[in-house]
Each structure stands twice: as structure tokens, then as C-alpha cells.
């Protein structure tokens, strides 16, 4: 069986990394000339993290049949 506590810890770590990437992207784009390749890579990483966050959240929340 999947360890819920470890999934929650992983989820928290992913959320922190996602938030950090958001701040980094904001800072880089506000500082003038922007390296578009670097920004694209950071945004791609951010999207990957968001997908992982969503996947873990869906595993943690039980399916509710309406």
C-alpha cells in the first residue's frame, strides 16, 4: 500500500519548489534583458511540477461519486 505520509511530504516539497520557480521566473523577467531559453526551461519544469502535484493530490483525495 502507498504510504500516505510520504506522499504528503512529497506534495509539500513539490509545492515549495513550484512556488520558488514562480518567484525566480518573476525576478528574471523583471530584471531587464531575459534569456528566453532559460525562462522556457524554468516554465517547463514548473509545468512538470504542477502535473506531479495534481497527480499526488488526486491519489490522496478519494473519489466522490455525486
Amino acid at each position: 500500500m502507498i504510504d500516505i505520509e510520504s506522499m504528503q511530504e512529497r506534495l509539500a516539497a513539490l509545492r515549495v519548489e513550484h512556488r520558488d520557480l514562480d518567484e525566480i521566473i518573476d525576478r528574471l523577467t523583471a530584471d531587464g534583458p531575459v534569456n528566453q531559453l532559460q525562462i522556457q526551461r524554468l516554465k517547463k519544469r514548473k509545468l512538470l511540477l504542477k502535473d506531479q502535484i495534481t497527480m499526488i493530490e488526486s491519489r490522496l483525495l478519494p473519489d466522490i461519486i455525486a
Side-chain angles (χ1 to χ4, degrees), residues 14-64:
L14 290 171
R15 285 180 174 155
V16 168
E17 187 177 351
H18 185 269
R19 186 176 41 243
D20 289 347
L21 278 175
D22 201 28
E23 291 174 8
I24 291 168
I25 290 168
D26 287 344
R27 236 181 291 129
L28 286 173
T29 55
D31 287 345
V34 179
N35 180 341
Q36 288 298 323
L37 183 58
Q38 182 182 22
I39 297 296
Q40 283 179 326
R41 287 179 178 159
L42 291 171
K43 286 183 177 183
K44 187 173 183 176
R45 174 69 181 151
K46 189 177 161 193
L47 285 173
L48 255 167
L49 291 172
K50 185 63 177 172
D51 288 344
Q52 290 176 353
I53 289 169
T54 303
M55 183 179 66
I56 292 173
E57 286 174 339
S58 69
R59 287 184 179 172
L60 289 173
L61 296 175
D63 289 336
I64 300 174

